[in-house]
């Protein structure tokens, strides 16, 4: 079971993942104005690679954006690739491309 905690201030923030109380990963972001934030880095501890930790942190970021009416700019390659694979998450992206 992955637990994700958010730390946030006016300029930066992060989502930190823990598994059984152990630090498993970190996703950092930077605010770009008040309405959007840039996911700039994702790292997962080697021991937890392949366990979906990165996606859990991304889902926490998406949930935060949806609840607060914010949008996300995924600069980090992991975040960008995950958004591309999961259309159901793309409603929070700044440049939504509507695929019809």
């Amino acid at each position: 079971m992955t637990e994700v905690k958010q730390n946030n201030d006016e300029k930066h923030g992060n989502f930190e993942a823990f598994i059984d109380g152990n630090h498993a990963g970190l996703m950092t972001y930077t605010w770009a104005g008040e309405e959007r934030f840039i996911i700039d880095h994702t790292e997962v501890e080697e021991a937890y690679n392949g366990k979906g930790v990165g996606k859990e942190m991304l889902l926490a970021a998406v949930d935060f954006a949806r609840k607060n009416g914010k949008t996300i700019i995924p600069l980090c390659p992991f975040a960008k690739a995950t958004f591309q694979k999961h259309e159901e998450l793309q409603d929070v992206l700044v440049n939504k491309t509507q695929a019809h």
Side-chain angles (χ1 to χ4, degrees), residues 50-78:
K51 297 192 187 311
V53 173
K55 187 172 179 201
E56 287 295 327
M57 292 187 292
L58 187 70
L59 291 175
V62 168
D63 191 49
F64 169 72
R66 286 176 177 156
K67 284 181 176 157
N68 295 281
K70 309 295 184 198
T71 52
I72 297 174
I73 303 167
L75 283 190
C76 148
F78 169 81

Side-chain angles (χ1 to χ4, degrees), residues 34-45:
E34 290 180 16
E35 299 305 313
R36 63 186 64 93
F37 59 94
I38 299 163
I39 295 177
D40 44 30
H41 182 70
T42 305
E43 64 186 53
V44 174
E45 297 295 331

Side-chain angles (χ1 to χ4, degrees), residues 12 21 37 47 65-66 73 79 82 96-97:
H12 305 279
F37 59 94
R66 286 176 177 156
I73 303 167
T82 305
K96 300 180 196 72
T97 49

